Every structure is written in structure tokens, then in C-alpha cells.
């Protein structure tokens, strides 16, 4: 039975991309070998690497003043690398905390240098993002870090703060390239690919050249952003197959019409599920405040835990997998990333309505 994949990551990939990879797996471009077997110094792989960087910047409307680094280790490694590269003695960085991943980024930075919590929404249970008035920035921070979309709590920044000349940095692992935004506001963006733009294994880092120039030179070579930029992400063996898949997914996004088209698609999907919550007369309780609802991770609870288990079991019986909330918070979470089809969300919304009628 085909399934609807609501997993939070690794997540659903476009079927057309999987079919393309399948067709090329044994023999890439007539070379008689798989891309999995090719040297990362080969002209074929270098073309893939270059294409992925160019496509990523083109989708965001960026030019040569930004670099794209294709790295490994996921966002969790970036929590440390960011601070290692930019926090010097006598400086500090600001962090706006809107959920569990923001907490982890802050905790890792604290191991390396001095940090300041510019805002935290913990007291309210991470249901929204701070307003401009709630952002209490330090006088001269090295950067302000935020998490654009919190996968666990289902909270997303609808608009980003204007920080002027102060560098703005974001973990966009769970909503990267899911909507248009002004990327020139950011000095650095990092994102694990495994939710919206590819499989697990490659982490995309977008960095402004001016910000890159300010990075420390006294960090270990392999941990330096400058190293990876200088070597076009080929200093050490990259995750070749993951980058190949990333490039194919970026091409798929282009084929749909770019970020404006993907945003329209994602908003329609999210709207179906949020409508099922709002029309349930309280049977389903959404976690995030309406103004901060995520278009990527719809989180909600039912009246009691036993009923949630019944909901999840019956949904899985109908081919809807990956709906359990994160182990730290429980409940239900529908992750509806770029490649998830509209029909899957329509089926879930219909199931939610029928389940509420049956148990309400």
C-alpha cells in the first residue's frame, strides 16, 4: 500500500527525483559506473557541485557576494562551527530562542564563547516568536541567531527582524527553500538538507562574503568556513550522493516555478490541516499561536494521551506514517515539507474530521 509520509526528517523526496536517481544509479552519464563510485575530483562530480551552488543562489536571487558551502554534520555541527568561526574573546553573540533547536544552538555556543539571550519564548511554552519590541539586543553583538522554523513545537517566523548592519544568522533546516524571503537580510544561513531539499548527509551553508572575511583564522582547518569556501566544498571528500540528490531536488523546485510556486503549494497544504483543527470545536488543540503557525510542521494535541495513540494507530492503518509528535513533547505532528503532495494533506484533513466525529 502506498503511504503518505509525514515524517519530520529524513523526509519525503519528490518521486520524479527518486526515479531519476534510480535510472542513473548504475551508469551515470554513460561512464559505466555509479555516481556513488566516482571520485569527487572527477569533472562529472565537480559539475554537480557547481550546479548545486548556482541553483541554490539562483532560487534565492543572490549573486557573487554569497557563497554556498556543501558540508557534513547537520545543523547540530553548525551550532558549534558558527560560534567557533565568529566568537572571539571579548565578543558575544545574541540568540532568540523559539523552541528546542534554538535551545540546542544556544547551549553549544555557550561552550565556546559569551552569549546573550535576546529573547526567549520558553515561559509561554514556545507557542510564538518574539515581536521586535521583545528582542532585547546587546550593544554590539557579533551576530543575532534565530531558528526560522521549530520542527518540534511547530512555530515559524512569518517575517524576519531587520537588524541593519548587525549580522543575522539563521538555522533554516526545516523550512529552507519552502517560500520566498529576502536572503540579503542574512549574513549566514545553514540547513540540513533532509527535510526540504534532499536526503540526509549534506548540510548547506549560505554565507555572505563580507561575513566570511571576518571569520577567525585560528580554528582547526577542517572546521573553518574559509577552508571550505577556498576549496569550493572539496577540501575533503564530500557526501557525493547527497549533493547529487540535492542538485536534482533544486532542479525540481525550479521546474515547479521556484519559491513563489512552492510557497503557494505549501500554504494550501497547511491550510487544509489547520482548517481541520480550527473546525473541530476544540477536539484538536493546535500548539502554536495562529500568527506563528508553521507551514512545515503542524503540531496539535487531542483530549487525552490514550486517544492520541488511537488516532496515530488508525492513521497509520490508513497509510499515514510519521505523525507522532517528537518524543520530548508527544502529541501529533504532521510534517508537510516541499515534496509531500497535496493529496496526502487532504487525506489527513478528511481523516481528522471523521475521527473527531467518531470520538468527539
Amino acid at each position: 500500500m502506498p503511504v503518505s509520509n509525514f515524517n519530520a526528517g529524513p523526509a519525503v523526496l519528490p518521486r520524479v527525483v527518486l526515479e531519476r536517481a534510480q535510472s542513473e544509479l548504475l551508469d551515470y552519464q554513460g561512464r559505466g559506473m555509479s555516481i556513488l563510485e566516482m571520485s569527487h575530483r572527477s569533472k562529472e562530480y565537480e559539475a554537480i557541485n557547481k550546479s548545486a551552488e548556482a541553483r541554490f543562489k539562483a532560487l534565492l536571487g543572490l549573486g557573487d557576494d554569497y557563497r554556498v558551502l556543501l558540508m557534513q554534520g547537520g545543523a547540530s555541527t553548525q551550532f558549534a562551527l558558527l560560534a567557533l568561526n565568529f566568537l572571539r574573546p571579548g565578543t558575544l553573540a545574541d540568540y532568540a530562542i523559539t523552541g528546542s533547536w534554538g535551545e540546542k544552538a544556544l547551549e553549544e555556543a555557550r561552550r565556546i564563547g559569551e552569549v546573550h539571550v535576546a529573547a526567549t519564548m520558553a515561559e509561554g511554552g514556545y507557542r510564538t516568536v518574539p515581536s521586535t519590541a521583545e528582542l532585547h539586543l546587546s550593544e554590539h553583538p557579533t551576530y543575532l541567531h534565530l531558528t526560522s522554523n521549530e520542527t518540534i513545537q511547530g512555530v515559524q517566523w512569518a517575517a524576519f527582524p531587520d537588524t541593519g548592519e548587525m549580522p543575522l544568522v539563521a538555522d533554516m533546516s526545516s523550512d529552507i527553500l519552502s517560500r520566498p524571503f529576502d536572503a540579503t537580510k542574512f549574513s549566514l544561513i545553514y540547513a540540513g538538507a533532509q527535510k526540504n531539499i534532499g536526503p540526509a548527509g549534506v548540510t548547506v551553508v549560505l554565507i555572505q562574503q563580507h561575513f566570511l572575511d571576518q571569520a577567525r583564522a585560528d580554528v582547526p582547518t577542517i572546521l573553518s568556513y574559509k577552508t571550505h569556501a577556498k576549496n569550493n566544498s572539496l577540501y575533503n571528500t564530500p557526501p557525493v550522493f547527497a549533493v547529487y540528490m540535492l542538485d536534482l531536488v533544486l532542479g525540481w523546485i525550479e521546474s515547479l516555478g521556484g519559491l513563489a510556486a512552492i510557497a503557494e503549494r505549501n500554504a494550501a497544504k497547511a491550510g487544509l490541516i489547520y482548517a481541520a483543527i480550527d473546525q473541530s470545536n476544540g477536539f484538536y488543540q493546535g500548539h502554536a499561536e495562529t500568527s506563528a503557525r508553521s507551514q512545515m510542521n503542524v503540531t496539535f494535541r487531542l483530549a487525552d494521551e490514550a486517544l492520541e495513540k488511537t488516532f496515530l494507530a488508525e492513521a497509520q492503518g490508513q497509510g499515514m506514517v510519521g505523525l507522532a509528535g517528537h518524543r520530548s513533547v508527544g502529541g501529533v505532528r504532521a510534517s508537510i515539507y516541499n515534496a509531500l503532495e497535496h493529496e496526502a494533506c487532504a487525506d489527513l484533513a478528511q481523516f481528522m474530521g471523521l475521527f473527531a466525529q467518531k470520538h468527539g
Side-chain angles (χ1 to χ4, degrees):
M1 179 179 69
V3 299
S4 296
N5 184 353
F6 292 97
N7 276 301
V12 61
L13 288 163
R15 184 174 180 86
V16 65
V17 167
L18 293 173
E19 290 173 345
R20 168 80 177 272
Q22 181 186 46
S23 71
E24 295 181 336
L25 185 61
L26 296 179
D27 185 358
Y28 181 72
Q29 294 190 351
R31 281 288 306 277
M33 67 177 75
S34 173
I35 190 69
L36 284 162
E37 303 168 299
M38 283 188 189
S39 168
H40 64 293
R41 306 295 181 192
S42 67
K43 61 179 176 41
E44 289 85 0
Y45 179 71
E46 289 191 4
I48 291 170
N49 190 78
K50 185 176 181 180
S51 174
E53 176 172 354
R55 278 176 159 162
F56 193 90
K57 290 199 294 186
L59 284 165
L60 290 172
L62 298 174
D64 292 340
D65 52 339
Y66 279 84
R67 291 298 310 276
V68 172
L69 312 179
L70 304 174
M71 302 179 69
Q72 301 178 61
S76 295
T77 298
Q78 295 301 319
F79 297 161
L81 292 192
L82 173 66
L84 280 170
N85 277 264
F86 292 104
L87 268 182
R88 292 178 169 84
T91 66
L92 60 78
D94 285 1
Y95 280 72
I97 313 302
T98 54
S100 299
W101 293 109
E103 285 181 349
K104 290 181 183 295
L106 174 69
E107 178 184 352
E108 200 68 10
R110 274 183 171 149
R111 297 174 182 269
I112 295 162
E114 187 177 353
V115 296
H116 164 73
V117 178
T120 176
M121 313 313 289
E123 187 175 341
Y126 292 131
R127 296 177 184 275
T128 190
V129 300
S131 64
T132 301
E134 291 172 309
L135 276 175
H136 302 292
L137 304 177
S138 52
E139 189 171 353
H140 296 293
T142 302
Y143 57 81
L144 169 65
H145 179 282
L146 58 83
T147 308
S148 60
N149 182 77
E150 285 284 357
T151 58
I152 293 176
Q153 284 80 17
V155 170
Q156 185 177 34
W157 292 75
F160 298 113
D162 187 354
T163 58
E165 295 298 313
M166 184 182 68
L168 181 61
V169 172
D171 173 3
M172 291 193 178
S173 292
S174 54
D175 65 349
I176 189 66
L177 302 190
S178 66
R179 55 178 174 164
F181 67 96
D182 183 2
T184 63
K185 280 189 171 185
F186 292 88
S187 295
L188 188 148
I189 292 167
Y190 59 90
Q194 68 272 11
K195 300 176 187 295
N196 272 312
I197 55 174
V202 60
T203 306
V204 179
V205 178
L206 175 75
I207 186 166
Q208 188 181 42
Q209 184 64 53
H210 176 68
F211 192 53
L212 176 63
D213 292 341
Q214 299 172 40
R216 296 177 63 163
D218 58 348
V219 298
T221 305
I222 193 65
L223 304 181
S224 169
Y225 288 129
K226 288 182 175 179
T227 297
H228 295 280
K230 180 181 178 181
N231 292 276
N232 297 317
S233 303
L234 297 171
Y235 175 74
N236 64 326
T237 305
V240 171
F241 191 73
V243 175
Y244 159 75
M245 292 292 289
L246 166 68
D247 186 49
L248 293 183
V249 174
L250 296 179
W252 172 76
I253 294 173
E254 288 175 344
S255 73
L256 294 180
L259 299 190
I262 207 82
E264 183 177 353
R265 169 188 168 106
N266 288 333
K269 293 187 302 186
L272 291 170
I273 304 173
Y274 283 121
I277 294 172
D278 294 340
Q279 294 167 13
S280 71
N281 294 318
F283 184 83
Y284 302 109
Q285 295 287 331
H287 176 80
E289 292 184 10
T290 302
S291 62
R293 281 175 164 176
S294 171
Q295 299 285 291
M296 297 282 98
N297 309 98
V298 182
T299 52
F300 58 96
R301 302 301 302 255
L302 278 71
D304 62 73
E305 192 172 337
L307 197 57
E308 287 175 349
K309 291 180 178 178
T310 301
F311 177 95
L312 294 170
E314 291 189 9
Q316 183 156 342
Q318 296 193 27
M320 303 176 198
V321 301
L323 283 167
H326 190 271
R327 60 186 179 277
S328 65
V329 298
V332 182
R333 172 176 57 179
S335 295
I336 51 176
Y337 301 122
N338 282 351
L340 187 70
E341 295 296 339
H342 186 275
E343 291 76 13
C345 296
D347 289 346
L348 175 58
Q350 182 180 42
F351 170 77
M352 290 170 67
L354 294 173
F355 189 88
Q357 290 177 17
K358 180 179 177 182
H359 297 279

